[in-house]
Amino acid sequence: MKILVPIKRVIDYAIKIRVDPTKGPLGVQTKNVKMSMNPFCEIAIEEAIRLKETLVKSTKKKDAAEVVAVSIGPKQCSETIRTALAMGADRGIHVQTGGEVR
């Protein structure tokens, strides 16, 4: 079984968000701001790893499940995928885009 977990790179939750006046009231300043994995995505990775461990125990096969983390975005999203791999994901897939993904 393959467990696919989408992960998103966002502004770190501990950072105070600043509005960019050139982008209008809905624009957030992202230059020189610490980015990290969305906290809800971290929870999803942890739960997928727990599910994988449960499947491995119940079937007694090491390759019963595989956790795959997927992220779509610029080159910097690879850091978020590395975080997921460090948490215990088996593989990471990065779909690289040229611009900002909404």
Side-chain angles (χ1 to χ4, degrees):
M1 170 192 260
K2 291 186 192 263
I3 305 167
L4 185 70
V5 183
I7 55 176
K8 186 174 181 181
R9 181 176 177 259
V10 296
I11 296 173
D12 193 283
Y13 67 90
I15 302 294
K16 185 176 179 180
I17 297 173
R18 289 188 230 142
V19 176
D20 190 356
T22 61
K23 294 182 181 177
L26 300 177
V28 177
Q29 190 176 32
T30 56
K31 288 189 178 183
N32 299 324
V33 174
K34 183 181 177 196
M35 304 292 265
S36 64
M37 186 188 302
N38 184 346
F40 298 107
C41 296
E42 289 180 5
I43 294 168
I45 290 282
E46 290 170 1
E47 192 60 34
I49 293 166
R50 278 192 211 113
L51 180 61
K52 173 189 168 186
E53 290 170 353
T54 304
L55 287 170
V56 168
K57 274 185 184 178
S58 65
T59 60
K60 298 181 181 174
K61 293 181 182 178
K62 288 186 177 182
D63 59 344
E66 177 184 27
V67 177
V68 182
V70 179
S71 186
I72 299 172
K75 189 171 32 172
Q76 293 86 357
C77 286
S78 61
E79 298 169 10
T80 309
I81 293 172
R82 277 192 232 118
T83 303
L85 293 171
M87 291 175 72
D90 298 310
R91 286 192 306 138
I93 298 173
H94 178 209
V95 180
Q96 190 168 346
T97 61
E100 191 173 311
V101 177
R102 293 195 180 255

